[in-house]
Amino acid sequence: MIPRGLGVTHTWAAGAGLNQPRRHPVVQQEGHGVVARVGTGVRVMGAVLAAVLGASLAGCSSTGGKRAEDARKSAQAQGRAAVDTPRWKIAMVTHSGDGDTFWDIVQSGAKQAATKDNIDFLYSHSDQGQQQAQFVQAAIDQKVDGLIVTLAKPDALKDVVAKAEKAGIPVITVNSGSEKSKEFGALTHIGQDETIAGEAVGEELTKRGRKKALCVLHEQGNVGHEQRCAGTKKSFKGEVQNLYVTGTSMPDVQSSIEAKLQADPSIDAVVTLGAPFADTAVKAKQSAGSSAEIDTFDLNAKVAAALKSGTLGFAVDQQPYLQGYEAVDLLWLYKYNADVLGGGLPVLTGPQIITKDQAAELEAYTNRGTR
């Protein structure tokens, strides 16, 4: 199955081999407001016609070069590669739980880069470290040409990442585990420094005159989440309390936050560590009759709208689209030209504090799934 968007995505189950792509894939092409599903033969014909059209436009007038370039960009936007390098296969394995919209944005960036770079993109995920490791092993067994992995639970991934490198598979880490990336032998890490991001939150809370903040951790064992709350506590002039909730159950998240706000009316700020939990925190605040400000890590369409309306105070954006895009693109550059970015240090995509002032500008991007 090929989901909405650009590129080809395959998923596989733990302990099993990767599903093979269909011999004649059905590709969803988008462009000029028209969406059509076409088979391989039609796609090839379309590519030929695009090339002929580009050549004819180039010879029509002095503006032919620009028109040819426009035609090339149009072809690229409709799902055709912009390079003629081999059809390399890259797998991304993340610690995402089911239904986390943050990872939809990461995948959106990865698929766009995969299309441009003629990459066969594979994706799998699990919030359980052991199962994530099994997915990485499945990718190794499939002999992928590159691997992108998150290190939210680094101890579970250390051995299998070493196996990938022993097999000659270049690895890039994204989002979580920047402090372990180099140690594990990855080419580079793409994401935000979670401690620095937490410190940015603490500074913003202080600037807003808050005195007591609740930091809501929705995934126990995730080192990045612990670092975010620790960073907030380090820079915040007030008090920070951690609240552990079951992130896979929104009713539990809401009831836990609500109970805490009812028990301690002095809490004047609630910080959630993921965009999907911000709306739940708002509901908990309303049910508890609290006046606490709700702030969050990460950005999506709902968060942008809530910032715009004043329902949320601020959000910390780490640009997940960029994490997915750059990870695929850098693996392509490494395979094609032995390029490596970062110089041994992480390539940072955040943090950026987003408030009501920036929300309107970013809302269009969040609605299309790229911020």
Side-chain angles (χ1 to χ4, degrees):
M1 181 185 75
I2 299 173
R4 182 178 68 82
L6 299 175
V8 179
T9 303
H10 310 290
T11 58
W12 57 91
L18 295 173
N19 292 335
Q20 297 298 319
R22 294 171 58 183
R23 186 168 182 179
H24 299 293
V26 176
V27 177
Q28 180 169 298
Q29 296 186 311
E30 300 187 25
H32 307 291
V34 178
V35 177
R37 293 185 175 272
V38 298
T40 304
V42 176
R43 184 176 55 191
V44 171
M45 182 179 294
V48 172
L49 289 173
V52 172
L53 178 60
S56 64
L57 285 174
C60 286
S61 69
S62 60
T63 60
K66 181 181 183 302
R67 291 177 179 175
E69 176 65 9
D70 290 344
R72 186 194 66 79
K73 289 180 179 178
S74 177
Q76 178 182 325
Q78 293 180 37
R80 291 188 286 278
V83 298
D84 59 0
T85 46
R87 182 75 172 173
W88 291 316
K89 185 179 297 182
I90 290 176
M92 174 183 282
V93 185
T94 75
H95 64 276
S96 169
D98 292 333
D100 191 335
T101 56
F102 176 91
W103 293 101
D104 294 338
I105 303 172
V106 174
Q107 286 187 74
S108 180
K111 291 171 187 175
Q112 177 70 65
T115 298
K116 176 180 70 70
D117 294 338
N118 194 32
I119 295 294
D120 188 11
F121 177 69
L122 317 175
Y123 180 79
S124 65
H125 66 93
S126 174
D127 57 5
Q128 301 301 309
Q130 194 57 44
Q131 189 173 38
Q132 188 188 0
Q134 291 173 10
F135 286 147
V136 174
Q137 182 62 58
I140 295 170
D141 294 341
Q142 182 72 359
K143 294 181 171 50
V144 296
D145 299 293
L147 181 64
I148 302 162
V149 64
T150 62
L151 299 178
K153 297 171 183 175
D155 291 343
L157 276 295
K158 182 176 182 180
D159 290 344
V160 76
V161 169
K163 287 181 182 179
E165 289 158 359
K166 187 175 181 181
I169 300 172
V171 177
I172 285 180
T173 60
V174 298
N175 183 261
S176 300
S178 61
E179 70 287 347
K180 294 290 186 180
S181 179
K182 188 175 182 180
E183 176 187 334
F184 284 14
L187 296 177
T188 192
H189 178 84
I190 302 171
Q192 70 180 4
D193 184 297
E194 302 293 16
T195 299
I196 292 175
E199 291 174 359
V201 169
E203 292 167 1
E204 184 68 20
L205 290 172
T206 300
K207 178 181 173 183
R208 290 166 175 262
R210 301 298 161 181
K211 303 298 181 184
K212 193 170 187 179
L214 188 67
C215 195
V216 184
L217 297 95
H218 61 268
E219 185 183 331
Q220 293 193 41
N222 186 321
V223 294
H225 290 184
E226 296 287 348
Q227 290 167 344
R228 288 178 180 182
C229 291
T232 300
K233 187 174 185 178
K234 180 180 177 181
S235 63
F236 183 39
K237 302 279 188 208
E239 180 185 347
V240 176
Q241 291 185 1
N242 287 359
L243 176 66
Y244 294 90
V245 298
T246 305
T248 53
S249 171
M250 283 302 183
D252 177 80
V253 174
Q254 182 173 339
S255 62
S256 296
I257 298 174
E258 182 180 336
K260 190 67 177 177
L261 291 175
Q262 288 176 335
D264 189 353
S266 66
I267 294 173
D268 58 6
V270 176
V271 179
T272 63
L273 302 187
F277 302 94
D279 187 53
T280 301
V282 169
K283 293 175 183 176
K285 163 189 170 177
Q286 294 168 344
S287 298
S290 169
S291 60
E293 177 181 283
I294 308 298
D295 306 304
T296 190
F297 280 78
D298 302 331
L299 189 68
N300 63 15
K302 265 193 171 183
V303 168
L307 288 170
K308 189 176 175 181
S309 68
T311 304
L312 296 179
F314 66 89
V316 185
D317 185 24
Q318 59 174 309
Q319 301 184 100
Y321 179 90
L322 197 58
Q323 291 178 16
Y325 188 99
E326 288 301 319
V328 170
D329 210 34
L330 289 185
L331 279 174
W332 178 84
L333 284 167
Y334 180 78
K335 294 286 294 181
Y336 174 69
N337 205 45
D339 289 320
V340 178
L341 288 184
L345 297 176
V347 178
L348 298 182
T349 63
Q352 179 185 6
I353 299 294
I354 306 295
T355 66
K356 184 176 183 177
D357 294 339
Q358 297 87 36
E361 178 184 355
L362 297 178
E363 191 171 26
Y365 305 138
T366 62
N367 285 333
R368 75 181 184 189
T370 57
R371 284 298 291 267

